[in-house]
Amino acid sequence: MTTKPQSIRVGLFGIGLDTYWNQFPGLRERLEGYIATIRGKLGDAEVISAGLVDSMVKAHDAAALFRTHDAKIVFLYVSTYALSSTVLPVVRNIPAVVLNLQPANAIDYARFNSLGDRGKMTGEWLAFCQACAVPEIASVFNRAGIPFRQVTGTHDDPEAWEEIHGWVDAARVAATLASTRLGILGHYYNGMLDVYSDPTQIATSFGIDIEHLEIGELREMRRRVTDDEVKGKEEEFGREFQVTADCPPEEIVRAARTACAVERLVAQKRLGALDYYYEGTPGSEEEDIITSVIAGLSLLTARHVPVAGECEVKNAVAMKIMDAFGAGGSFSEFYAMDFNDQVILLGHDGPGHLAIAEGKPKLKPLGVYHGKPGKGLSVEMNVKHGPVTLLAVVQTGEGTLKLLAAEGASVAGPTLEIGNTNSRYRFPLNVKQFMEAWSRQGPAHHCAIGLGHIAPKIKKLASLLGLEFVQVC
């Protein structure tokens, strides 16, 4: 289910005051050891360390180092008191997180006061003086218009390290988005005004490249699919789906041929996400293609190329975010409210994220695609039971974008066996409260659902992207 993490470079530097080193022997070496400890705990990221920055010259050198190595985020470890002038040159053009981490929970007061040498005592205190510089740094950040992000704790504080690793993950996802090409095939579902969006705004807000695709190009690729390729895809359907006995063989062949063509299109255009909607004229080759895409697009979604239907560009981005965090991200909308069990049913026709299914997804024939032309195969699945997060990319009334999230759980119980992806979800709020709180934020009627409670990471991503974040529960 998890996405293979994209390699990411993070910067790390500690700060100190060069005046201290001659005054307090051993202090610099001790602080450099602290920086090494922080570096060792930063996980699988490639760490570019500038060491201990204690002067303006070293600050400019650190800034150049991080630019040269294309660090996506910088961790500023407050080793001891330091001048804010040694910070500003480094963080002007790169997202930064201030690490206010003491070496231990508290100073050993009895040992400290027994040292008998006020110079040694001051040196010992300065090794615990992380908090001293933080307000100064915050003041300069605020006055310079730089977002102030802070993690406070100790070197071995698990909550602090969960926060730090969350920042690394958020920076990795931001980098993934910036290297993603989103394909748009067809047009919006006519009349879904909430779905209409501005591709330029999507590109500039997330760093995503937009590729407009031609249905005719997909048609030509489908004509070139060989019988051997179709057979191989049919076998893959058998591995990935529970193909129900009532699936007509000709529909399986049709879906397999289209799946091969779509995979070829995605590979040729180097797409990392896709959204689509098309109808075609009755009986046309284009209609034949678009009514047979669901199985193949579900396979793509499970392979980290999330696909949103109804040309919901914003939701394709939400799905990509969830997938990049390793949570999945299945295309969903609200189906019904169950006031008896205090759950909400969410699902969708069209592609689902097979990798986060509870059990093996079913491939079923539908005699009619509700609200859409034609008929064909569809995917029926539930999302794995357990913690989940809902995410929507929302266009506000002011014309900006924000990320909207909610945490809940996918729970067992009856669902609608209509050949759609649909599951039961319970939230900390009751059904009435949740529907009102979620809707009040003005999202489109689609959202992405992923596994786990990852709203804190999404909040960090929003901070890195300069977007508003709202969590309703």
Side-chain angles (χ1 to χ4, degrees):
M1 181 273 293
T2 56
T3 301
K4 182 179 180 180
Q6 174 175 310
S7 177
I8 185 174
R9 290 174 176 163
V10 305
L12 171 66
F13 71 110
I15 53 172
L17 184 59
D18 54 5
T19 305
Y20 290 156
W21 311 145
N22 291 330
Q23 295 177 328
F24 308 104
L27 177 61
R28 177 169 57 185
E29 292 75 18
R30 185 173 177 180
L31 301 182
E32 287 172 339
Y34 292 168
I35 297 169
T37 296
I38 301 298
R39 178 174 183 164
K41 291 186 173 184
L42 278 173
D44 59 0
E46 182 182 348
V47 180
I48 309 300
S49 177
L52 186 59
V53 173
D54 58 9
S55 67
M56 287 288 290
V57 171
K58 289 185 179 178
H60 285 286
D61 289 345
L65 177 70
F66 297 144
R67 285 196 303 271
T68 299
H69 290 278
D70 193 27
K72 300 302 183 184
I73 190 169
V74 164
F75 291 101
L76 187 178
Y77 172 57
V78 185
S79 312
T80 184
Y81 175 74
L83 298 171
S84 49
S85 61
T86 60
V87 172
L88 190 59
V90 188
V91 301
R92 276 198 181 106
N93 299 306
I94 187 170
V97 179
V98 175
L99 303 183
N100 176 20
L101 303 178
Q102 279 192 177
N105 284 349
I107 296 171
D108 184 339
Y109 303 109
R111 175 183 170 278
F112 181 91
N113 290 322
S114 69
L115 290 175
D117 181 318
R118 291 190 180 91
K120 290 182 178 178
M121 294 166 72
T122 301
E124 180 71 16
W125 157 57
L126 288 173
F128 277 79
C129 197
Q130 286 73 33
C132 184
V134 174
E136 177 176 340
I137 294 169
S139 172
V140 172
F141 274 41
N142 289 336
R143 292 167 69 180
I146 298 170
F148 182 71
R149 310 173 181 98
Q150 177 184 185
V151 177
T152 298
T154 64
H155 287 185
D156 59 358
D157 178 353
E159 290 183 358
W161 280 102
E162 183 178 2
E163 285 286 302
I164 294 167
H165 292 144
W167 281 111
V168 173
D169 284 346
R172 181 181 290 115
V173 172
T176 298
L177 294 173
S179 63
T180 293
R181 178 171 292 166
L182 169 65
I184 300 176
L185 177 65
H187 55 79
Y188 296 118
Y189 189 111
N190 193 29
M192 282 185 181
L193 302 183
D194 60 325
V195 167
Y196 296 176
S197 59
D198 178 357
T200 299
Q201 186 181 42
I202 294 292
T204 56
S205 297
F206 296 99
I208 288 173
D209 291 335
I210 302 294
E211 182 83 9
H212 290 276
L213 307 171
E214 295 290 342
I215 190 73
E217 190 170 10
L218 179 59
R219 180 191 63 219
E220 294 306 310
M221 289 182 179
R222 188 170 182 258
R223 289 175 178 175
R224 294 195 296 270
V225 172
T226 67
D227 291 341
D228 285 344
E229 288 175 311
V230 171
K231 184 177 180 181
K233 188 59 64 178
E234 288 183 69
E235 292 171 353
E236 186 179 355
F237 285 173
R239 294 191 300 270
E240 301 298 329
F241 298 105
Q242 178 185 338
V243 181
T244 61
D246 55 345
C247 285
E250 63 274 15
E251 287 292 353
I252 297 175
V253 170
R254 191 164 72 98
R257 188 173 299 277
T258 300
C260 292
V262 173
E263 284 186 4
R264 191 170 296 173
L265 179 68
V266 166
Q268 186 179 102
K269 301 294 184 179
R270 294 182 294 133
L271 302 179
L274 175 66
D275 64 314
Y276 77 101
Y277 185 73
Y278 202 80
E279 294 185 359
T281 55
S284 67
E285 194 170 350
E286 289 79 10
E287 184 191 54
D288 186 61
I289 292 171
I290 214 66
T291 56
S292 58
V293 295
I294 292 174
L297 296 184
S298 296
L299 294 177
L300 281 173
T301 299
R303 293 172 185 159
H304 317 305
V305 183
V307 184
E310 296 171 1
C311 209
E312 171 60 290
V313 176
K314 300 188 298 297
N315 208 63
V317 175
M319 293 168 68
K320 186 65 179 182
I321 290 170
M322 297 299 280
D323 189 77
F325 273 123
S330 204
F331 188 43
S332 297
E333 65 187 4
F334 293 87
Y335 264 26
M337 299 176 290
D338 185 331
F339 291 101
N340 294 329
D341 293 338
Q342 285 299 309
V343 298
I344 301 175
L345 277 68
L346 289 101
H348 212 282
D349 61 354
H353 202 305
L354 307 182
I356 66 170
E358 180 74 31
K360 199 169 187 178
K362 296 178 180 178
L363 197 59
K364 288 186 171 183
L366 293 184
V368 60
Y369 290 133
H370 70 274
K372 303 176 178 71
K375 61 180 182 177
L377 301 185
S378 187
V379 173
E380 182 178 284
M381 58 164 267
N382 305 134
V383 168
K384 287 180 182 176
H385 300 154
V388 297
T389 300
L390 275 61
L391 174 64
V393 175
V394 181
Q395 185 165 347
T396 71
E398 292 74 37
T400 60
L401 295 178
K402 67 181 178 184
L403 301 184
L404 172 64
E407 293 181 340
S410 172
V411 297
T415 55
L416 310 181
E417 298 177 6
I418 56 174
N420 288 186
T421 66
N422 67 103
S423 296
R424 298 162 63 85
Y425 300 95
R426 184 171 288 125
F427 300 94
L429 305 175
N430 66 36
V431 168
K432 289 182 180 180
Q433 292 169 333
F434 178 82
M435 285 301 307
E436 292 176 3
W438 181 267
S439 301
R440 192 177 300 120
Q441 297 301 323
H445 68 283
H446 299 124
C447 64
I449 297 180
L451 303 184
H453 286 167
I454 64 167
K457 292 185 178 182
I458 296 171
K459 182 178 181 180
K460 292 175 174 60
L461 175 65
S463 174
L464 296 178
L465 297 174
L467 300 177
E468 180 186 356
F469 171 81
V470 176
Q471 182 178 353
V472 301
C473 62

